[in-house]
């Protein structure tokens, strides 16, 4: 029970802040340690089964690749084919059970996939904030810790027979367009941020078991250039994303590469859409050659659900279903989410379109992952993580982490005078108004499971002050104003007014892209009328996955403060109240640009270009390429205290050594003042600098230190690019030194029009808060040794 003891110790100095619900959960968790857990039967290689006990693939001492080869050699073609789909069939004669590959764990164990069920000893699981909210924390260690907790609960549910071990999470697509309904699932618009999130969360999920073993198998999705679901009659099943090699290399593929190379993810999922005329699940260039070849994926490639069927039935990419089966498997697909490969692979083999050896290669990748998970090692309870059970789900420590994640993800957008934090001495009565004011399920977003419990915003605020509650609207669509007068009356009676507005899954969701960026329906009118009527300060709290054009509120002096809370998870109401009343000093930063509504008229969702094109009035996308007006910029976020930065140690010049070969010298493009990354020794290239950060205010605070770089001018260059970030907690009046070590080849290089990464020679400018520092990158020729 060390987690519970640590939890008690943590709160020993602040028992007044310990919510009653968490005390009850603590007692329940203590009691649950005495619950008897029935371990599941072995997936395969049951030591009690005399028929399989002696088979080579069941011998734990034998190398995994030998065991895999032995097992595949024992299977018939028909048995092999039934293992190519997510609901893989049992092989009773070899003592192997059926397996459902599809489980989800985007921000907690989810019941979206058929591989996971809630009930019995596992009625719920910890529901963390939606990914876009967690990304706003810019806290890499917390992302990994959330992954570790989620995998604890996933393993516990697997041991109880309620879940699988292969989780098709995280979603690391770039949040390219503010209308995308699934942007909420992603870490935001920046490729470096998304890449670091991907690697951190995957490491947490998969664990650090010795010998290539996995705690659970994560999956980075949806590869690649997938960020449109259903917009203006174009849906993801029919969409052909036309993407330049430049944009693929420096934007769309970056988080996937990080996932595979740095996170060592066990799986990648290909997407529904086509990229430049080819379905991603049937393109050997991006599957076999890139993911497995260049990036060295150690795992399996899975299709998005029914996407193999989609490329035949909907996109008409092949003339026959057998060709579709053959194309995808030969391109590098190992597993089909859906029945298509089970129905048509045998026909493809019989027609000579596919060899049985191709099927064997696909199976080798999936079975290897199962063996790395211990599924062929016999008795589950005797293996690592085999003792996890109901007592390890929804623990107080896990729920406290969900609360911390929600607190750290909240972004303070505006704070006039300042108004926040509210005071329990001055603000005895608070009017809590809005369609999301009593939100519960809305707070956990999509791809969620059954939460341990909820604290809604009005419940959270009620712990600090007397509340007067009015919905104001019937739902976020807010089609009528019948309740506006009651909301205005509540605001007149209160010392402060909190309006909890925004969106939910009826506005933005999978297969539901947004029509616009304004608050839905009559929400803006409600906010304006209530702020006019309010006796005290008015605070606007926005719950959403995507950005909202709230220019009216930003410019309205009657609206004193604005908070964006994303979808803050099961403890969202507590976190919101803690920020409002200053128990928590907000430190989140926006992971995406907030555009004005008129931006949408210039950018069709179907245009995948990242860079601006003034000749056709195309303004570009994300903070890296868009230079127009914004409501709030990427990285914006205020605090209740102030921080000062000083660049303590930083070089003024960095030498880029050319590789000692005549070929490299000849082909390094000095005409464009850039050197190909592969023509220099990247192992020697790092940029080290120290930043001193001082909290000059009167309140302790958590600071998100963002470091941007602006490269020399060039047609391939972003206006600026995030190259590093760090989350630090600094007491009032104290100073903290942060050391950065930037990978020059990775973070100071750019992609040219051919998708080739180059390091621009010349002056690069670092931007850290209000600091600017110039560093000159100069090419040097290493001595050619004979």
């Amino acid at each position: 029970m060390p987690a519970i003891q640590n939890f008690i110790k943590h709160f020993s100095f602040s028992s007044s802040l310990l919510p009653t619900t968490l005390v009850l959960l603590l007692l329940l968790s203590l009691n649950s340690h005495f619950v008897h857990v029935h371990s599941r039967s072995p997936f395969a290689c049951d030591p009690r089964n005399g028929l399989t006990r002696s088979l080579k693939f069941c011998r734990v001492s034998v190398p995994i690749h030998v065991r895999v080869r032995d097992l595949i050699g024992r299977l018939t073609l028909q048995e092999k084919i039934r293992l190519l789909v997510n609901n893989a069939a049992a092989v009773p004669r070899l003592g192997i059970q059926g397996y459902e590959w599809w489980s989800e764990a985007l921000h907690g164990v989810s019941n979206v996939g058929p591989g996971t069920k809630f009930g019995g000893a596992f009625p719920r699981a910890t529901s963390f904030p939606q990914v876009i909210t967690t990304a706003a924390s810019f806290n890499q260690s917390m992302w990994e810790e959330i992954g570790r907790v989620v995998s604890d609960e996933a393993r516990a549910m697997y041991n109880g027979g309620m879940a699988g071990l292969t989780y098709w999470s995280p979603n690391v697509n770039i949040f390219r367009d503010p209308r995308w309904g699934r942007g909420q699932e992603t870490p935001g618009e920046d490729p470096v941020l998304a890449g670091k999130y991907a690697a951190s969360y995957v490491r947490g999920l998969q664990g650090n078991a010795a010998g290539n073993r996995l705690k659970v198998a994560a999956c980075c999705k949806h590869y690649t250039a997938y960020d449109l679901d259903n917009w203006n009659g174009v849906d993801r099943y029919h969409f052909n994303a036309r993407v330049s090699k430049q944009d693929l290399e420096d934007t769309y593929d970056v988080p996937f590469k990080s996932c595979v190379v740095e996170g060592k993810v066990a799986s990648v999922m290909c997407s529904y859409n086509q990229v430049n005329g080819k379905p991603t699940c049937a393109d050997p260039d991006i599957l076999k050659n890139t993911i497995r070849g260049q990036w060295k994926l150690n795992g399996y490639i899975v299709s998005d659900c029914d996407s193999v069927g989609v490329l035949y039935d909907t996109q008409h990419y092949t003339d026959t279903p057998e060709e579709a089966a053959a194309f995808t498997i030969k391109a590098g697909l190992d597993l089909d989410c859906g029945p298509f490969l089970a129905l048509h692979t045998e026909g493809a083999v019989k027609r000579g379109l596919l060899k049985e050896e191709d099927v064997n290669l696909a199976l080798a990748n999936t079975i290897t992952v199962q063996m790395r998970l211990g599924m062929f090692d016999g008795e589950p309870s005797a293996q690592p993580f085999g003792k996890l059970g109901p007592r390890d789900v929804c623990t107080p420590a896990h729920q406290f982490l969900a609360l911390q994640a929600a607190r750290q993800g909240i972004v303070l957008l505006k704070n006039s005078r300042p108004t926040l934090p509210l005071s329990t001495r001055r603000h005895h009565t608070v009017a809590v108004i809005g369609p999301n004011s009593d939100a519960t399920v809305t707070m956990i977003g999509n791809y969620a499971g059954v939460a341990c419990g909820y604290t809604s915003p009005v419940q959270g605020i009620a712990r600090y002050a007397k509340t007067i509650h009015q919905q104001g609207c019937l739902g976020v669509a807010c089609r009528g104003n019948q309740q506006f007068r009651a909301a205005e009356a509540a605001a007149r009676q209160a010392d402060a007014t909190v309006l909890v507005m925004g969106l939910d899954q009826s506005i933005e969701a999978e297969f539901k892209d947004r029509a616009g960026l304004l608050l839905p329906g009559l929400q803006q009118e409600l906010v304006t009328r209530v702020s006019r009527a309010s006796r005290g300060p008015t605070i606007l709290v926005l719950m959403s996955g995507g950005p909202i054009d709230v220019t009216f509120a930003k410019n309205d002096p009657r609206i004193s403060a604005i908070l964006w809370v994303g979808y803050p998870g099961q403890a969202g109401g507590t976190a919101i109240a803690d920020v409002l009343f200053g128990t928590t000093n907000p430190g989140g930063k926006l992971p995406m640009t907030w555009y004005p509504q008129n931006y949408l008229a210039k950018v069709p969702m179907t245009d995948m270009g990242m860079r601006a094109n003034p000749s056709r009035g195309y303004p570009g996308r994300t903070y890296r390429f868009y230079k127009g007006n914004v409501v709030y910029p990427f990285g914006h976020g205020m605090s209740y205290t102030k921080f000062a930065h000083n660049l303590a140690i930083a070089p003024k010049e960095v030498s880029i050594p050319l590789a000692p070969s005549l070929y490299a010298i000849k082909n390094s493009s000095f005409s464009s003042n850039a050197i190909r990354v592969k023509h220099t020794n990247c192992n020697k290239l790092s940029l080290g600098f120290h930043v001193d950060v001082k909290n000059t205010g009167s309140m302790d605070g958590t600071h998100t230190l963002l470091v941007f770089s602006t490269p020399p001018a060039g047609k391939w260059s972003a206006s600026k690019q995030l190259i590093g970030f760090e989350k630090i907690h600094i007491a009032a009046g104290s100073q903290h030194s942060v050391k950065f070590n930037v990978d020059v080849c990775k973070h100071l290089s750019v992609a040219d029009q051919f998708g080739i990464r180059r390091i621009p020679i010349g002056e690069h400018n670092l931007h850290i808060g209000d600091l600017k520092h110039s560093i000159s990158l100069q090419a040097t020729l290493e001595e050619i040794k004979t």
Side-chain angles (χ1 to χ4, degrees), residues 399-627:
Q399 296 193 66
F400 181 66
L401 181 62
L403 172 59
Q404 286 286 66
R407 287 168 169 167
Q408 290 193 28
I410 291 175
V411 182
L412 178 61
L413 298 174
K414 175 184 176 180
N415 193 19
S416 301
R417 290 189 286 277
T419 296
L420 294 178
L422 298 175
S423 167
T424 53
R425 295 189 304 274
R426 296 194 309 276
H427 304 106
H428 300 287
T429 304
V430 177
V432 186
I433 297 165
N436 282 330
S437 58
D438 199 21
T440 53
V441 174
T442 294
M443 296 193 300
I444 62 176
N446 70 354
Y447 279 82
V450 181
C452 306
Y454 297 102
T455 304
S456 72
V458 68
Q459 290 172 332
I461 294 168
R463 293 172 177 165
Y464 287 92
K466 179 183 177 183
T467 59
I468 307 171
H469 181 227
Q470 289 290 332
Q471 288 289 121
C473 293
L474 290 174
V476 297
C478 199
R479 295 189 177 93
N481 62 4
Q482 297 89 341
Q483 300 182 25
F484 283 17
R485 287 186 179 179
E488 291 171 295
R492 291 190 190 98
Q493 301 172 51
D495 300 318
T497 298
V498 176
L499 283 150
V500 191
M501 314 298 288
L503 315 177
D504 65 12
Q505 301 304 306
S506 70
I507 304 295
E508 53 178 358
E510 184 169 8
F511 216 66
K512 188 188 290 288
D513 295 327
R514 291 164 65 188
L517 301 182
L518 301 175
L519 283 169
L522 300 178
Q523 282 197 45
Q524 179 171 329
E525 182 185 340
L526 174 63
V527 172
T528 300
R529 284 177 54 172
V530 167
S531 65
R532 287 173 180 166
S534 181
R535 189 179 76 194
T538 299
I539 299 98
L540 175 61
V541 176
L542 297 168
M543 196 176 289
S544 71
I548 304 172
D549 182 353
V550 287
T551 303
F552 81 97
K554 177 183 177 181
N555 296 335
D556 189 339
R558 289 180 296 261
I559 299 170
S560 307
I562 305 175
L563 290 173
W564 176 72
V565 301
Y567 293 123
Q570 63 178 47
T574 301
I576 291 167
D578 288 347
V579 169
L580 288 172
F581 283 89
T583 301
T584 297
N585 190 346
K589 303 285 187 183
L590 288 180
M592 71 295 204
T593 302
W594 284 36
Y595 303 93
Q597 170 72 10
N598 61 15
Y599 171 79
L600 302 184
K602 307 168 188 174
V603 283
M605 275 195 80
T606 48
D607 193 321
M608 302 295 290
M610 297 300 298
R611 289 154 172 80
N613 187 337
S615 66
R616 60 185 181 91
Y618 186 71
R621 295 183 180 276
T622 77
Y623 79 95
R624 295 163 64 221
F625 304 105
Y626 171 67
K627 298 180 177 65

Side-chain angles (χ1 to χ4, degrees), residues 14-83:
S14 57
S15 58
S16 63
L17 298 179
L18 183 60
T20 305
T21 53
L22 286 184
V23 173
L24 293 173
L25 287 164
L26 174 61
L27 296 174
L28 287 171
S29 182
L30 287 166
N31 184 58
S32 71
H33 276 261
F34 301 100
V35 176
H36 178 68
V37 183
H38 296 282
S39 62
R40 69 183 300 149
S41 59
F43 170 74
C45 303
D46 190 336
R48 296 163 294 187
N49 186 342
L51 294 175
T52 62
R53 190 166 49 209
S54 62
L55 297 178
K56 183 181 285 188
F57 70 79
C58 289
R59 297 180 198 163
V60 179
S61 60
V62 174
I64 284 180
H65 72 277
V66 177
R67 298 170 70 190
V68 170
R69 188 167 60 242
D70 178 75
L71 172 55
I72 292 174
R74 297 174 187 273
L75 297 169
T76 66
L77 176 60
Q78 289 73 26
E79 288 170 337
K80 292 174 183 177
I81 288 168
R82 283 297 291 124
L83 299 178

Side-chain angles (χ1 to χ4, degrees), residues 47 96-97 248 318 321 343 354 364 370 389 395 404-405 424 449 464-465 484 505 522 529 556 574 650 719 726:
I96 300 171
Q97 296 187 28
L248 278 174
T318 63
L343 297 173
L354 192 67
Q370 289 181 313
T395 69
Q404 286 286 66
T424 53
Y464 287 92
F484 283 17
Q505 301 304 306
L522 300 178
R529 284 177 54 172
D556 189 339
T574 301
S719 57
E726 194 68 41

Side-chain angles (χ1 to χ4, degrees), residues 159-188:
N159 294 338
M162 302 296 281
L165 289 177
T166 46
Y167 287 84
W168 294 346
S169 304
N171 178 346
V172 298
N173 291 114
I174 295 297
F175 196 174
R176 168 189 64 105
D177 191 289
R179 290 162 289 198
W180 189 30
R182 301 188 74 176
Q184 60 181 291
E185 301 173 32
T186 76

Side-chain angles (χ1 to χ4, degrees), residues 3 80 127 135 141 147 373 638:
K80 292 174 183 177
S127 195
S141 61
L373 288 162
M638 303 169 71

